[in-house]
Amino acid sequence: MNQSTSGNATTPGNHPPVSFGKVGVLLVNLGTPDGTDYWSMRRYLAEFLSDRRVIEWSRFLWLPILHGIVLSKRPQKSGAAYKEIWNNELDESPLRTITRSQSDKLSEVLADLGENVVVDWAMRYGNPSIASRLDALKAKGCDRILVFPLYPQYSASTTATVNDEVFRALLKMRWQPTIRIVPPYHDDETYIDSLATSIKNKLSELDEEPEVVLASFHGIPQSYFDKGDPYHCHCQKTTRLMREKLGWDDKKLQITFQSRFGPEEWLQPYTDKTVEKLAKEGVKRIAVLNPGFVADCLETLEEIAGEAAEIFEEHGGEQFTHIPCLNDAPEGMAVLENVVRRELQGWI
């Protein structure tokens, strides 16, 4: 039951109004610009690329490059890429559309837990911000909040930076809510089952099955892995479990890494180079899925369904299939619901 100390018989009349007794669930995805124009893209990229966990280079070296070169050129290029996938009807990115829908649907399926469970969503970079949604949940009476970084595989450059932002917001609160953080779920049985089901469903629509399927994960610099980041291991385990579930070997389902940035070496094999290599070797049919993304976004729709498909066809490939993310489909919602119900145990 939601409770309030405002104006009741147990508190003096001048007691400040407070609400408590509810549990919040905050879904957090990476982020999105508010528009495709130069200044919207620049604000988003400046916030994203200023994060010390995303770019670990010395600030003395990186900030002049960021503000002198990157932010003068990249907003136009990124804006053009976003325009290709933009949800023009709602004037927003697909990531925002899908994340909102995931939040709404999760609220519906958790209705049996009662009105004291409140589901909301935020973006690590861009809007709505983590701080603003934590404040909103607290204002609704949530004194316990489950924060769900929407990254199945842990990395300091993703999960950890969500955690950083959550605790930065708490620093400004006099009455802090109790916080739980959803742990990585790269080997969760429901997650693996849902990925396998989504693959089977998509391939069943094709006249001919792909010769090779790539599980393409967002990359991180090799140096991050060398420093102890577990991300590579989590990606490898997810892929191995998918192989076991599907009954495939490592030739049929291969792991690759995409979206590298800057001059240093990143985790390999690279997705674009692998797609090109397979086409040159005579492979005519491939499919690519993105198990590390819970919602389709620029990196899946433009980089994979767009650019990777072009690379494959330019080098002799004939049939390129992009397998959508789990998104807000039943399989995707089953994963989110399963993880949230598990992590709420003891609170509900």
Side-chain angles (χ1 to χ4, degrees):
M1 171 179 281
N2 185 36
Q3 303 175 64
S4 174
T5 65
S6 176
N8 60 42
T10 62
T11 57
N14 62 350
H15 193 287
V18 292
S19 296
F20 60 95
K22 290 188 176 183
V23 175
V25 177
L26 185 64
L27 305 181
V28 185
N29 216 318
L30 180 75
T32 175
D34 293 322
T36 61
D37 60 282
Y38 174 82
W39 289 109
S40 294
M41 291 304 312
R42 184 183 174 97
R43 284 193 300 272
Y44 171 69
L45 291 171
E47 182 181 10
F48 176 43
L49 297 175
S50 294
D51 192 324
R52 291 176 179 271
R53 288 197 186 269
V54 174
I55 305 294
E56 294 187 0
W57 299 353
S58 161
R59 299 293 96 179
F60 179 77
L61 295 174
W62 172 237
L63 291 182
I65 296 173
L66 174 63
H67 292 281
I69 301 174
V70 176
L71 293 180
S72 65
K73 297 181 179 181
R74 195 171 180 89
Q76 295 96 325
K77 181 179 179 181
S78 295
Y82 267 100
K83 284 181 181 179
E84 294 183 17
I85 65 162
W86 201 249
N87 182 340
N88 292 312
E89 181 179 352
L90 297 178
D91 191 24
E92 62 185 19
S93 71
L95 184 64
R96 178 174 286 162
T97 303
I98 297 168
T99 305
R100 181 194 301 111
S101 179
Q102 289 171 327
S103 175
D104 292 344
K105 290 184 177 182
L106 184 61
S107 182
E108 293 174 4
V109 300
L110 296 180
D112 63 295
L113 299 180
E115 295 181 356
N116 284 345
V117 175
V118 183
V119 181
D120 206 342
W121 60 284
M123 295 292 176
R124 171 59 187 91
Y125 311 102
N127 296 304
S129 69
I130 290 173
S132 71
R133 301 328 300 162
L134 287 175
D135 285 340
L137 287 171
K138 192 165 178 288
K140 291 179 180 178
C142 297
D143 52 21
R144 290 164 292 171
I145 299 175
L146 175 67
V147 178
F148 193 163
L150 294 174
Y151 311 109
Q153 297 78 24
Y154 176 96
S155 174
S157 58
T158 53
T159 309
T161 191
V162 169
N163 299 345
D164 292 344
E165 192 65 12
V166 167
F167 289 106
R168 269 193 289 268
L170 293 183
L171 285 171
K172 300 178 182 179
M173 295 182 183
R174 177 169 295 278
W175 186 358
Q176 297 175 332
T178 299
I179 297 291
R180 283 182 181 174
I181 308 290
V182 170
Y185 57 101
H186 58 287
D187 55 359
D188 179 87
E189 185 176 357
T190 302
Y191 168 61
I192 299 300
D193 287 347
S194 291
L195 287 173
T197 297
S198 72
I199 294 171
K200 293 176 182 177
N201 289 345
K202 186 62 179 181
L203 298 193
S204 69
E205 300 172 3
L206 306 177
D207 294 332
E208 293 185 89
E209 186 170 303
E211 300 160 73
V212 176
V213 176
L214 300 182
S216 179
F217 294 85
H218 198 293
I220 61 171
Q222 178 68 32
S223 61
Y224 295 11
F225 170 69
D226 294 340
K227 293 174 184 176
D229 199 301
Y231 179 71
H232 181 262
C233 301
H234 286 186
C235 295
Q236 292 284 355
K237 187 171 185 180
T238 296
T239 307
R240 174 176 62 79
L241 292 174
M242 283 195 295
R243 288 191 192 111
E244 293 175 0
K245 190 69 180 180
L246 292 163
W248 293 352
D249 60 22
D250 59 3
K251 299 297 183 183
K252 177 72 172 184
L253 179 60
Q254 302 179 24
I255 185 172
T256 59
F257 297 92
Q258 65 182 83
S259 308
R260 62 189 183 277
F261 172 82
E264 63 180 307
E265 180 181 338
W266 283 46
L267 295 180
Q268 296 189 41
Y270 298 139
T271 299
D272 55 353
K273 299 298 183 183
T274 302
V275 167
E276 179 179 336
K277 177 174 177 288
L278 289 171
K280 288 181 175 178
E281 290 175 347
V283 174
K284 298 302 182 183
R285 301 181 307 280
I286 67 170
V288 183
L289 72 151
N290 300 100
F293 296 84
V294 303
D296 277 307
C297 55
L298 185 72
E299 287 80 4
T300 67
L301 298 174
E302 194 274 337
E303 184 177 355
I304 298 301
E307 291 182 7
E310 291 177 3
I311 292 172
F312 187 63
E313 292 166 2
E314 286 173 0
H315 292 88
E318 296 178 357
Q319 177 183 292
F320 182 99
T321 301
H322 178 243
I323 300 173
C325 294
L326 296 177
N327 294 322
D328 59 349
E331 294 81 13
M333 294 311 304
V335 178
L336 299 184
E337 179 185 359
N338 174 66
V339 172
V340 168
R341 286 186 184 274
R342 182 181 67 224
E343 297 305 320
L344 285 178
Q345 290 183 45
W347 276 4
I348 302 297

